[in-house]
Amino acid sequence: MVKALAFDTFGTVVDWRSSIIAELGVFGETHGVQHDWATLADGWRKGYLPAMDRVRRGELPWTKIDDLHRMILEELLGAAGITSVSDADVDHLNRAWHRLNPWPDSVAGLTRLKERFVITTLSNGNMSLLTNMAKRAGLPWDCVISAELFHHYKPDPEAYLGCAELLDVSPEELMLVAAHPGDLRAAQQAGLRAAYVTRPLEYGPNQRAHKVAEGEFDFTATDFLDLADQLGA
Amino acid sequence: MVKALAFDTFGTVVDWRSSIIAELGVFGETHGVQHDWATLADGWRKGYLPAMDRVRRGELPWTKIDDLHRMILEELLGAAGITSVSDADVDHLNRAWHRLNPWPDSVAGLTRLKERFVITTLSNGNMSLLTNMAKRAGLPWDCVISAELFHHYKPDPEAYLGCAELLDVSPEELMLVAAHPGDLRAAQQAGLRAAYVTRPLEYGPNQRAHKVAEGEFDFTATDFLDLADQLGA
């Protein structure tokens, strides 16, 4: 019955935290500055939800993630006293989010799932970010779909329903795959099916497990290969 | 300077005419009807421009190509006296446009061009059509972009400029690749660069050559492999 799988990306497909910490380390070496880069990476990610919420509430006009990331980054660099970096270098650092590395199972799992389903991103990342990420990491999407196309960030229902409409499937023929229960619950609310993939290291070694009720989602998998097994792909 | 290539699809990447004639032949055999399928294929394609123009002029609200194709097909089948076919079978036939075969050089050429450029569709075909076509034919797009995302059909400038915006490149960093001078001229008008690929068999063996002025486009190529050679890809 499910025809297409839509994947959340940050945390679900790619390991943003270790990628961003590594990029910040290179940035620090290049510019001769030292800092607790893990804390800065976590702060950068932490700023993302409230920034999107400002867009969702209408306090900001539509603003894509590249620009939200840049606003947050400038604040964090300022607070850390890192102020003598050129605009081009800050821009390069900001695009670290285009260069995130996939989890070890992502490419192999997507390649199997693609045999059986249409596979797309459904991410709050903007189109160019997702396209550059896929190109670099070899993610074999059938197409790239972003909240940018709807001017509605997840968990707004417009994002989930807009994805189904573009793929020309009904909401129940579309399954969101995500490592985040909130995203999955909003997808279910919009009529989609939901597959929860645990990513216990997304927020680092001390991450607490998400609270999920037994049987809350259609599938629960430890990674994309396990999901492919369960879906017969 | 060019960072991304946007490809027209019908006629440029895929050979719609021979694919549609073959699909109509199968349809005729299945339903025990005979007809001049080449003429019907040409009529189907010929109905497409005026149908889009009705949308472009605002006579019709936004209507995707699948639905325009269906309107035209029903008229043609009616005129041919083919009226006893089920809705599901007409729908399957209508989706022949999702199952078009690529020109012999398309996949190999795109694979080379993808090494050097971001490659996307920029087609009037809807997202699901382009996604299904790419999946079946193995077209290695970095992303799929359709006029459907802008609710503006080419040659409206919104389609060309919208594509550049989603890819986060300036118009002059984006080059349209197409077999149709009119499409290329509209792209140039919007500030894009233009590569003309000749497809002398698009409209069948009796096709007249398009009229193109010397040096009118940035590149003129005989196929995608020739274009890859010229672009050093």
Side-chain angles (χ1 to χ4, degrees):
Chain A
M1 176 167 177
V2 169
K3 292 184 178 170
L5 304 177
F7 289 77
D8 172 62
T9 55
F10 301 128
T12 300
V13 178
V14 291
D15 175 8
W16 59 265
R17 189 172 187 272
S18 75
S19 305
I20 293 293
I21 292 171
E23 289 264 358
L24 285 166
V26 171
F27 170 84
E29 276 178 35
T30 307
H31 296 281
V33 287
Q34 294 195 324
H35 196 73
D36 175 355
W37 299 124
T39 300
L40 202 147
D42 290 337
W44 203 356
R45 181 65 179 168
K46 207 172 172 185
Y48 161 88
L49 261 181
M52 280 195 304
D53 280 343
R54 288 182 62 198
V55 175
R56 292 181 61 225
R57 284 195 303 266
E59 281 174 38
L60 282 179
W62 176 258
T63 309
K64 63 184 179 180
I65 290 291
D66 276 347
D67 297 329
L68 296 178
H69 276 149
R70 178 74 188 246
M71 286 163 47
I72 303 161
L73 176 60
E74 287 185 5
E75 251 179 67
L76 291 171
L77 291 179
I82 303 166
T83 52
S84 61
V85 180
S86 75
D87 190 70
D89 288 347
V90 174
D91 187 62
H92 177 77
L93 176 59
N94 194 52
R95 284 168 196 270
W97 294 92
H98 295 217
R99 300 185 297 267
L100 303 178
N101 297 315
W103 295 108
D105 56 283
S106 291
V107 172
L110 290 174
T111 302
R112 281 176 58 189
L113 291 162
K114 183 176 178 159
E115 292 292 312
R116 179 135 186 190
F117 303 98
V118 169
I119 59 169
T120 182
T121 56
L122 178 57
S123 168
N124 286 334
N126 40 276
M127 287 291 286
S128 61
L129 181 157
L130 295 170
T131 300
N132 292 337
M133 176 196 287
K135 195 172 181 72
R136 178 180 171 280
L139 304 170
W141 305 120
D142 287 312
C143 64
V144 173
I145 294 181
S146 159
E148 184 183 15
L149 299 180
F150 315 114
H151 283 203
H152 277 283
Y153 281 120
K154 296 187 293 179
D156 284 354
E158 287 87 349
Y160 307 103
L161 297 174
C163 180
E165 199 187 338
L166 288 181
L167 296 176
D168 197 20
V169 298
S170 63
E172 65 270 20
E173 291 171 335
L174 180 60
M175 184 152 68
L176 183 73
V177 181
H180 311 121
D183 194 4
L184 293 166
R185 286 176 194 131
Q188 288 180 318
Q189 204 73 26
L192 276 68
R193 301 183 74 187
Y196 176 47
V197 175
T198 53
R199 294 296 192 191
L201 296 176
E202 178 184 356
Y203 292 95
N206 302 320
Q207 177 175 331
R208 286 201 216 157
H210 296 300
K211 281 184 191 155
V212 170
E214 180 93 26
E216 191 177 356
F217 303 118
D218 298 291
F219 295 90
T220 299
T222 53
D223 64 19
F224 289 176
L225 297 169
D226 180 26
L227 184 64
D229 286 342
Q230 293 187 45
L231 294 175
Chain B
M1 176 166 174
V2 169
K3 292 184 178 171
L5 304 177
F7 289 77
D8 173 63
T9 55
F10 301 128
T12 300
V13 178
V14 292
D15 175 9
W16 60 265
R17 189 172 188 271
S18 75
S19 305
I20 293 293
I21 293 171
E23 289 265 358
L24 286 166
V26 171
F27 170 84
E29 277 179 32
T30 307
H31 296 281
V33 287
Q34 294 194 325
H35 196 75
D36 176 355
W37 299 123
T39 300
L40 202 146
D42 290 337
W44 204 354
R45 181 65 179 170
K46 207 172 171 184
Y48 160 88
L49 261 181
M52 278 195 305
D53 280 344
R54 289 182 63 197
V55 175
R56 292 180 61 225
R57 285 194 303 267
E59 281 175 39
L60 282 178
W62 177 257
T63 309
K64 64 184 179 179
I65 290 290
D66 276 347
D67 297 329
L68 296 178
H69 276 150
R70 178 73 189 247
M71 287 164 47
I72 304 160
L73 175 61
E74 286 184 7
E75 251 180 66
L76 291 171
L77 291 178
I82 304 166
T83 53
S84 62
V85 180
S86 75
D87 190 72
D89 288 348
V90 175
D91 186 62
H92 176 76
L93 176 58
N94 194 52
R95 285 167 195 271
W97 295 92
H98 296 218
R99 300 186 296 269
L100 303 178
N101 297 314
W103 296 108
D105 55 283
S106 291
V107 172
L110 291 174
T111 301
R112 280 175 59 190
L113 291 162
K114 182 175 178 160
E115 292 292 313
R116 178 133 184 192
F117 303 97
V118 169
I119 60 169
T120 181
T121 56
L122 178 57
S123 169
N124 286 334
N126 40 275
M127 286 292 286
S128 62
L129 181 157
L130 295 170
T131 300
N132 292 337
M133 175 196 287
K135 195 172 180 74
R136 178 180 171 280
L139 304 170
W141 305 121
D142 287 311
C143 64
V144 173
I145 294 180
S146 159
E148 184 183 15
L149 300 180
F150 315 114
H151 283 203
H152 276 283
Y153 281 120
K154 297 187 294 179
D156 285 353
E158 287 85 350
Y160 308 102
L161 296 174
C163 181
E165 198 187 337
L166 288 181
L167 297 177
D168 196 22
V169 298
S170 63
E172 65 271 20
E173 291 171 334
L174 179 61
M175 183 152 69
L176 183 74
V177 181
H180 311 121
D183 194 4
L184 293 165
R185 286 175 195 131
Q188 288 179 318
Q189 204 72 25
L192 276 68
R193 301 185 74 187
Y196 177 45
V197 175
T198 53
R199 294 296 192 191
L201 296 175
E202 177 183 358
Y203 293 94
N206 303 318
Q207 177 175 330
R208 285 200 218 158
H210 296 299
K211 282 184 191 154
V212 170
E214 180 92 27
E216 191 177 355
F217 303 119
D218 298 293
F219 296 90
T220 299
T222 53
D223 64 18
F224 290 176
L225 298 169
D226 180 25
L227 184 65
D229 285 342
Q230 292 188 47
L231 294 176

